[in-house]
Amino acid sequence: MTDLLDEASRLRGELPGDVSDRVVESLYADAARLASTSVDRDDARGRLTLDRALDRVLTHRVWGFVAMGVLFFGVFWFTIAGAAVPSDLLYVLLVENGHAWLRDVFVAAGSPAVVTGLLVDGVYLATAWVIAVMLPPMAIFFPLFTLLEDFGYLPRVAFNLDRLFARSGAHGKQALTMMMGYGCNAAGVTATRIIDSRRERLIAIITNNFSICNGRWPTLILMGTIFVGAVVPPALAGFVAAGSVIAVVVLGIGVTLAVSWTLSRTVLRGESSVYSLELPPYRPPQLWRTLWTSVVDRTLKVLRRAVVMAAPAGAVIWLISNIHLGDASLAGHLVTALGPLGWVLGLNGVILLAYLVAVPANEIIIPTIVMLTLTLGPAASGAAPGVMLELGDDAQISSVLLGGGWTLLTAVNLMIFTLLHHPCSTTVLTIWKETRSARWTAVATLLPLGLGFVVCASVAGVVRLLG
């Protein structure tokens, strides 16, 4: 410590004699600069800067929400419109050609049929399909979302939502943790540490699952594209599909506010905290750094997780499709058992079984659904059990699902259930680590699932009643 003090004294002696005056002068200069851009006087208004002009729109009580809808609509539309061609190319490369080549290699090597089926038709095919379907939309969506984040827009979204969270009895910082959940719910749960109040932090943890994580975007985009967009002329299909995804996002925000309001007035009653939110300045996005961050830290990370989960899921699907009990496969028995509940929810047994198989990660829901539909549904003619065939583009996927008895109601309720269902296993584990409470972990896991059942059953009942 003495040495440090001596060194500080030596350095102080090397400073110019007017250093104190310079520090004070710089403080007053900064204060004058801030006042000139922020303070209105009788004879003049504060100078209008670009930041202030943007904030007058983006943080406006009305136009701020309009701008938010337009920006996110543009992101989703561009993702949907731009992902089709690269997805088709990847499908031809990895699924059509890659699967045939790998199968020929295994057969030529004398591999037993069971091993070939499990590894090639199960593990490889599921993994290749996940890459072909998920990589293109993620490679477009995440860079666009990251550009908005780097520009400084996402804190403005939190600012706009702050008033709504305060009225719902939650902490304003929950808007920030909700935005984090749109990347990963586990990260959103961890981010609730910025909330000091345990009561308000629990509300944020329980409701974070209503933020649509990375793994759920592909399901929403695909359902919006091949079913919702199909009800209008082709020229409008992309806009309507993007609008349907935006509708689910808005529904998620509404459910978050409603559940927060209910919790804050029942089991988690208490006074709401007050805090100040500092808006960062707008920054020109750094394109190359954004591309690197979004591709490596988001797209490839999510894709790697999806691949890791898809490989064993593909094996499970192939096994349950090829292990027979009596006159039907194990998958067939499970789908039959889940069928009545699926019908009540406006879904089907295949979808519910897919959610059971895909508990570790949301990323593999769609490939699981398609593979089971091919195996068990009317579209399965000519398809080997547990093997996914002839799915080169969205039209072919739509054909398979329609052959499995899907309707627009099935697709819409799947989008709703994608929003309102239990968290993935990683998020559940994170909730437990953050709360150390089996009770609150169970609430955070079962509450969304219960809401999903109620909402989907209600929508299905109303549609059938009106139909």
Side-chain angles (χ1 to χ4, degrees):
M1 179 62 72
T2 303
D3 294 339
L4 289 175
L5 294 175
D6 291 341
E7 181 66 14
S9 298
R10 185 186 66 79
L11 293 174
R12 189 181 301 114
E14 296 178 359
L15 294 173
D18 61 346
V19 65
S20 297
D21 294 337
R22 292 184 181 181
V23 171
V24 172
E25 182 180 351
S26 66
L27 291 175
Y28 275 95
D30 285 341
R33 178 179 54 80
L34 292 173
S36 67
T37 59
S38 306
V39 178
D40 293 340
R41 296 180 174 83
D42 292 338
D43 58 341
R45 297 182 61 84
R47 189 171 72 251
L48 184 64
T49 62
L50 179 60
D51 282 21
R52 291 189 67 189
L54 289 173
D55 279 339
R56 285 185 178 182
V57 176
L58 298 182
T59 61
H60 191 272
R61 289 179 177 270
V62 176
W63 296 114
F65 288 95
V66 174
M68 182 170 61
V70 170
L71 284 172
F72 285 129
F73 178 89
V75 169
F76 291 126
W77 176 82
F78 197 80
T79 299
I80 292 170
V85 173
S87 184
D88 291 345
L89 293 175
L90 280 176
Y91 181 86
V92 171
L93 175 65
L94 298 177
V95 178
E96 290 185 353
N97 297 333
H99 173 252
W101 176 82
L102 190 60
R103 197 170 224 291
D104 290 342
V105 170
F106 270 70
V107 171
S111 172
V114 173
V115 174
T116 302
L118 182 64
L119 297 182
V120 179
D121 299 335
V123 174
Y124 172 79
L125 206 51
T127 303
W129 199 90
V130 165
I131 295 174
V133 171
M134 289 186 60
L135 180 58
M138 287 194 304
I140 297 173
F141 172 76
F142 289 139
L144 293 176
F145 200 78
T146 306
L147 284 173
L148 292 178
E149 185 178 11
D150 288 349
F151 180 61
Y153 176 65
L154 294 190
R156 271 75 185 175
V157 174
F159 177 84
N160 292 334
L161 296 174
D162 172 57
R163 293 185 293 270
L164 300 178
F165 277 101
R167 292 177 182 176
S168 68
H171 197 289
K173 287 182 180 178
Q174 187 175 331
L176 299 174
T177 63
M178 184 187 74
M179 296 304 298
M180 182 69 73
Y182 282 112
C184 173
N185 291 133
V189 170
T190 303
T192 61
R193 294 175 183 177
I194 64 176
I195 301 175
D196 296 326
S197 166
R198 173 172 171 76
R199 179 190 74 86
E200 293 168 331
R201 187 172 176 229
L202 281 172
I203 294 175
I205 289 174
I206 293 170
T207 58
N208 193 264
N209 189 63
F210 304 128
S211 298
I212 301 167
C213 67
N214 291 339
R216 290 184 273 177
W217 289 117
T219 301
L220 294 177
I221 292 172
L222 188 63
M223 290 298 102
T225 302
I226 66 179
F227 280 99
V228 181
V231 302
V232 298
L236 300 175
F239 294 98
V240 172
S244 68
V245 177
I246 289 290
V248 176
V249 174
V250 173
L251 176 62
I253 295 174
V255 172
T256 298
L257 294 171
V259 173
S260 297
W261 185 89
T262 303
L263 292 173
S264 67
R265 284 159 177 77
T266 53
V267 295
L268 290 173
R269 288 189 296 269
E271 293 293 328
S272 299
S273 304
V274 178
Y275 85 109
S276 58
L277 174 63
E278 180 180 353
L279 295 179
Y282 293 100
R283 299 178 300 270
Q286 300 178 19
L287 183 59
W288 294 114
R289 185 177 68 84
T290 297
L291 289 175
W292 174 264
T293 301
S294 58
V295 171
V296 175
D297 291 346
R298 293 188 174 181
T299 302
L300 294 184
K301 183 179 293 185
V302 173
L303 186 64
R304 179 182 62 82
R305 182 166 176 259
V307 167
V308 169
M309 297 300 177
V316 169
I317 295 168
W318 190 88
L319 286 172
I320 64 176
S321 300
N322 286 273
I323 296 175
H324 283 72
L325 299 176
D327 59 349
S329 66
L330 180 58
H333 286 295
L334 292 172
V335 168
T336 300
L338 294 170
L341 176 59
W343 182 88
V344 171
L345 299 178
L347 302 171
N348 56 47
V350 167
I351 294 175
L352 296 185
L353 178 57
Y355 271 93
L356 289 176
V357 174
V359 165
N362 292 295
E363 291 87 346
I364 58 176
I365 291 295
I366 288 297
T368 303
I369 288 174
V370 174
M371 292 179 73
L372 288 172
T373 302
L374 272 169
T375 299
L376 303 171
S381 57
V387 181
M388 196 164 38
L389 299 174
E390 298 179 358
L391 297 177
D393 54 32
D394 291 345
Q396 291 174 325
I397 296 174
S398 175
S399 176
V400 169
L401 297 180
L402 289 171
W406 282 52
T407 64
L408 179 61
L409 172 63
T410 313
V412 170
N413 271 14
L414 177 57
M415 295 177 77
I416 295 174
F417 197 69
T418 298
L419 170 69
L420 305 175
H421 76 281
H422 55 79
C424 70
S425 57
T426 302
T427 303
V428 172
L429 180 61
T430 304
I431 293 171
W432 160 252
K433 289 182 178 179
E434 293 297 321
T435 63
R436 293 296 176 184
S437 168
R439 173 194 176 192
W440 292 117
T441 302
V443 170
T445 302
L446 298 178
L447 177 62
L449 185 61
L451 281 175
F453 281 1
V454 171
V455 174
C456 287
S458 300
V459 171
V462 170
V463 170
R464 288 167 182 150
L465 181 63
L466 297 177

